[in-house]
Amino acid sequence: MKKDDCIFCKIANGEIPSRTLYEDEAFRVILDLGPATRGHALLIPKDHAEDLFGLPDDAAALVLPVVKRVAVRMKDRLGCDGLNLVQNNGEAAGQTVKHFHVHIIPRYLGDGQEINWTPTSPSAEELDGVMGQILE
Ligand code: AMP
Ligand code: ZN
């Protein structure tokens, strides 16, 4: 199902042109217009899902094989030294387009980009507490 006012629905379904690297019945992979690095791409499902929480399991199961296929090709053709997968959910996580997507970001030694967080030092009690909260 498409959502009328969703730009990624329109891109994924070909109503808005994009630089398409891969397409099948379920997904389109396009070049990001504001790339972090050379070749930065986005995997976008054709059916609207706002984020990971709204993505049906059958679609989720198809995501990684497509991502891998594109990643392998990037390594081969672009000669990248590494690759990040980034997938943001919700404003707190930096999601700006409310249609599920996976960033496929080729990395080059010395490219100057950072995909980082600052490690913290929780106590054993805190780690036990969060584990208990998740598992309970
Ligand atoms: P996020 O912050 O995870 O929601 O990322 C949204 C991404 O979509 C950003 O990297 C944007 O550069 C990219 N983007 C937004 N609009 C377009 C568009 N029309 N075509 C290609 N990429 C886009
Ligand atoms: Zn959409």
Side-chain angles (χ1 to χ4, degrees), residues 2 6 21 36 43 45-47 68 97 109-110 128:
K2 287 186 284 173
C6 175
L21 302 177
L43 171 139
K46 291 186 174 179
D47 284 337
K68 184 185 170 189
V97 179
L109 289 170
D128 289 342

Side-chain angles (χ1 to χ4, degrees), residues 1-3 5-10 44-50 98-100:
M1 282 293 285
K2 287 186 284 173
K3 189 163 175 267
D5 58 348
C6 175
I7 186 168
F8 276 12
C9 279
K10 292 188 168 72
I44 308 174
K46 291 186 174 179
D47 284 337
H48 183 84
E50 179 162 321
K98 302 289 196 256
H99 176 128
F100 174 91

Side-chain angles (χ1 to χ4, degrees), residues 25 29 33 64 68 75 102 106 111 117 127:
E25 318 82 65
V29 178
L33 286 182
L64 207 51
K68 184 185 170 189
K75 193 166 168 56
V102 178
D111 64 26
W117 57 89
L127 290 173

Side-chain angles (χ1 to χ4, degrees), residues 7-8 11 30-34 40 42 88 94-97 101 103:
I7 186 168
F8 276 12
I11 291 174
I30 66 163
L31 281 185
D32 193 306
L33 286 182
H40 181 167
L42 301 171
N88 300 324
Q95 184 180 12
T96 58
V97 179
H101 52 279
H103 295 261

